[in-house]
Amino acid sequence: MKVGVIGLGAMGAPMARNLHQAGLLQAVWNRTASKAEQLAAELSVTFASTPSQLATQCDVILTCISADDDLRAVIDALGDGLAENKIVVDTSTVQPQTARELAMLLAQLGVAFVDAPVSGGVEGAKNGTLAMMAGGDADVIEKLQPLFAAIGSKITHMGEVGCGQATKAVNQVMAAGINQAVTEALAFARAQNLPMHKVIDVISGGAAGNWFLQHRGPSMVEAIFEPGFKVSLHHKDLQICKAIAEELGVALPVVEMTLVHYWRLMNAGYGDEDISSLYREKQQLFS
Ligand code: NAP
């Protein structure tokens, strides 16, 4: 299997490295070409000058791109490079409807599409331990097992195309609630002048312990908010969650509240910070 990776950001670049380690990586492409040039040189794989050139050389095209319209543009640019029996696997977080539309478009060319959004953060991408929730044809997903094994430790087939993204939306609602709880609780701890690293340590070992507290707690209390996962990207995801909830006739409180908080952070120029910068907002409650 020859895999090409498109989108070498915080998640895509480490996924490409792990695919290379598994002997599967053929080529890379990135909008900012310098990132692809550097990685291609480092790993001795092909630097593709266009998405179409990458697609020509690969059986499987893995995309990891910011948002819906960006992904549509990339799929469009695969153009002549696509041919029957090739597979596009998208690991971005986009609307389920976008996944379904792209699958229909690609099916006309005999190209299979799998939506396989991921969870586990930059750490999971680097360690090859992502949890992946996939939507698409079972046989195609079976064929992709070597790829999934290279980048993740858990792959679950959720159903037809779009079900991966629908599951990811569930994950993102939960991630918002966890971010709200952890940042608020740690600001509450700081206001009581508690030793913050001890607070994180002891709570991590108990029933309230969680991934976000362990991985982002120590940096947020030092006012370090390097992504990680950008506020603007989680804001985009929560808009997807909001749209799905609206279709179901409800407004989800955690989603509505977090959208407001993230909007304020983005307006203040913190959109490219890690989502743990919600701690900034929570500290203001005590000022
Ligand atoms: P990132 O570091 O901002 O990287 C975004 C990538 O998309 C970059 O390679 C960027 O190219 C490319 N891109 C954006 N717009 C494009 C366009 N119009 N045409 C072509 N390429 C475009 O983001 P990330 O954290 O890797 O996230 C990527 C996706 O994974 C997002 O959908 C995100 O929601 C999802 N995700 C992220 C995490 C996380 O913890 N970070 C976890 C799970 C899922 P340039 O280099 O040229 O900007």
Side-chain angles (χ1 to χ4, degrees), residues 19-35:
L19 287 164
H20 175 67
Q21 211 158 20
L24 299 174
L25 187 68
Q26 173 73 20
V28 289
W29 182 85
N30 194 69
R31 176 180 60 178
T32 306
S34 57
K35 289 190 202 169

Side-chain angles (χ1 to χ4, degrees), residues 8 10-11 30-32 35 65-66 70 93 228 230 236:
L8 303 171
M11 297 296 283
N30 194 69
R31 176 180 60 178
T32 306
K35 289 190 202 169
I65 299 291
S66 306
D70 308 308
T93 304
K230 290 174 190 162
K236 170 260 304 178

Side-chain angles (χ1 to χ4, degrees), residues 38-256:
Q38 252 171 19
L39 194 68
E42 180 196 322
L43 304 179
S44 300
V45 298
T46 303
F47 159 70
S49 54
T50 62
S52 166
Q53 194 194 56
L54 177 139
T56 305
Q57 297 183 25
C58 300
D59 318 309
V60 178
I61 298 113
L62 182 146
T63 48
C64 188
I65 299 291
S66 306
D68 298 65
D69 285 346
D70 308 308
L71 178 66
R72 281 195 196 94
V74 161
I75 299 293
D76 189 48
L78 295 174
D80 292 347
L82 289 175
E84 216 164 324
N85 296 326
K86 298 206 179 204
I87 305 173
V88 174
V89 187
D90 178 45
T91 63
S92 325
T93 304
V94 296
Q95 293 175 38
Q97 184 55 25
T98 301
R100 288 191 283 268
E101 282 167 17
L102 291 175
M104 283 204 292
L105 199 76
L106 291 169
Q108 291 168 13
L109 306 170
V111 173
F113 179 88
V114 171
D115 53 317
V118 300
S119 176
V122 170
E123 289 85 346
K126 283 183 182 154
N127 298 332
T129 55
L130 292 167
M132 312 188 71
M133 34 215 102
D137 185 90
D139 291 341
V140 176
I141 289 172
E142 186 53 37
K143 260 194 226 165
L144 292 170
Q145 285 306 321
L147 176 151
F148 291 136
I151 60 179
S153 54
K154 189 168 176 65
I155 164 79
T156 306
H157 183 199
M158 301 307 302
E160 59 196 20
V161 169
C163 290
Q165 293 296 352
T167 310
K168 176 71 191 214
V170 175
N171 185 86
Q172 295 312 78
V173 174
M174 228 177 270
I178 291 166
N179 192 8
Q180 289 286 351
V182 170
T183 53
E184 191 165 303
L186 289 184
F188 178 54
R190 165 137 298 158
Q192 297 176 73
N193 293 319
L194 288 167
M196 295 306 288
H197 289 281
K198 284 188 178 176
V199 167
I200 292 163
D201 192 48
V202 69
I203 292 179
S204 290
N210 62 76
W211 185 97
F212 190 69
L213 175 65
Q214 261 181 308
H215 287 85
R216 299 290 177 262
S219 46
M220 82 172 77
V221 299
E222 300 297 339
I224 297 167
F225 304 113
E226 272 167 35
F229 184 37
K230 290 174 190 162
V231 170
S232 59
L233 288 179
H234 200 189
H235 184 269
K236 170 260 304 178
D237 296 351
L238 292 175
Q239 282 178 311
I240 294 171
C241 300
K242 183 181 165 85
I244 296 173
E246 275 171 359
E247 278 170 26
L248 298 170
V250 294
L252 297 176
V254 166
V255 171
E256 299 296 328

